[in-house]
Amino acid sequence: HESVDAVKGVVGNRFVQYLFVAAGLRFCAGYGIGVWKAPFFREAFPDFASEFSVANAFIISGGGILSSLLGGVISDKYSKKDQRVSLWVPAVGSLLAVPLWYGTVHADSFYTSMGLLFGEYIVAECWFGPVVASLYKAVPKEVQGTAQGLFTVLTAVGNAMPVLIGSLQSQYGLPDVLAYAVGAAYIGSGVFFFIAGEHMPKEQAVSQPKSP
């Protein structure tokens, strides 16, 4: 009964509901890119296999780390007065990723495509830390472990995206399927991150002034 009550205590929170929807969609975008990025580049730029391996490793590590650092710095700086900024950062990042990802899969040049992919990583990979921190702040300490477990389950939702892309790519073409499926997930996650921010508990949304 305690575990059931803990789950109810987490998912019964309207803010957490919106946050989970946003995170689930964001996992969909990430898993779609992660699984189908290499097949796309092999198909679109078959003469650049070795260059892709090197550039992709740099983008994943360098771009991901830089995005996380920038997202954390911006969130920490501007969320002191309004904690909703911690969700506005991933919301804006998800929305900015849409045109960059579209350009990645429709670029005529390999190097243009990789440059746009690097930009996409910079804006999009800033979401995880601020989202998890916001989740912890929104639930009581005694159910934070349950909240983390439920958040991890959302990765299963993300795994549906590669399957969807695989089922559609032979009919509609991989570039278009990647552009629109991943783009839709990014737009959805951005919208729901904004909505979650607006439903953030008041004691979390506005930082309390320090006592003199």
Side-chain angles (χ1 to χ4, degrees), residues 133-157:
S134 296
L135 174 63
Y136 281 165
K137 292 178 182 178
V139 297
K141 289 184 178 181
E142 58 269 20
V143 298
Q144 286 181 351
T146 301
Q148 177 63 53
L150 291 171
F151 184 81
T152 303
V153 171
L154 294 174
T155 59
V157 176

Side-chain angles (χ1 to χ4, degrees), residues 195-208:
I195 294 174
E198 294 306 307
H199 286 79
M200 187 176 284
K202 292 182 178 179
E203 61 271 18
Q204 180 181 356
V206 179
S207 299
Q208 299 299 318

Side-chain angles (χ1 to χ4, degrees), residues 20-184:
F20 278 4
V21 172
L25 290 168
R26 181 59 186 79
F27 276 125
C28 284
Y31 279 38
I33 293 173
V35 171
W36 283 99
K37 176 177 51 177
F40 162 75
F41 276 97
R42 283 198 301 267
E43 176 183 302
F45 306 104
D47 296 329
F48 291 88
S50 59
E51 290 88 341
F52 169 75
S53 298
V54 175
N56 185 53
F58 170 77
I59 288 171
I60 291 175
S61 57
I65 292 172
L66 183 58
S67 180
S68 296
L69 290 174
L70 289 174
V73 169
I74 294 171
S75 178
D76 289 343
K77 181 177 180 179
Y78 294 102
S79 64
K80 293 177 181 179
K81 294 182 179 180
D82 192 336
Q83 286 289 332
R84 290 176 297 179
V85 172
S86 62
L87 294 183
W88 292 347
V89 168
V92 171
S94 291
L95 296 178
L96 289 177
V98 175
L100 291 168
W101 175 245
Y102 185 91
T104 297
V105 296
H106 284 100
D108 294 328
S109 161
F110 170 77
Y111 294 105
T112 299
S113 182
M114 295 306 294
L116 290 168
L117 181 63
F118 181 69
E120 188 269 343
Y121 265 75
I122 293 295
V123 300
E125 296 303 317
C126 60
W127 73 282
F128 195 84
V131 168
V132 172
S134 296
L135 174 63
Y136 281 165
K137 292 178 182 178
V139 297
K141 289 184 178 181
E142 58 269 20
V143 298
Q144 286 181 351
T146 301
Q148 177 63 53
L150 291 171
F151 184 81
T152 303
V153 171
L154 294 174
T155 59
V157 176
N159 282 318
M161 179 62 85
V163 177
L164 176 63
I165 292 171
S167 67
L168 295 175
Q169 61 96 15
S170 61
Q171 182 176 358
Y172 298 103
L174 187 54
D176 283 341
V177 173
L178 282 173
Y180 294 114
V182 172

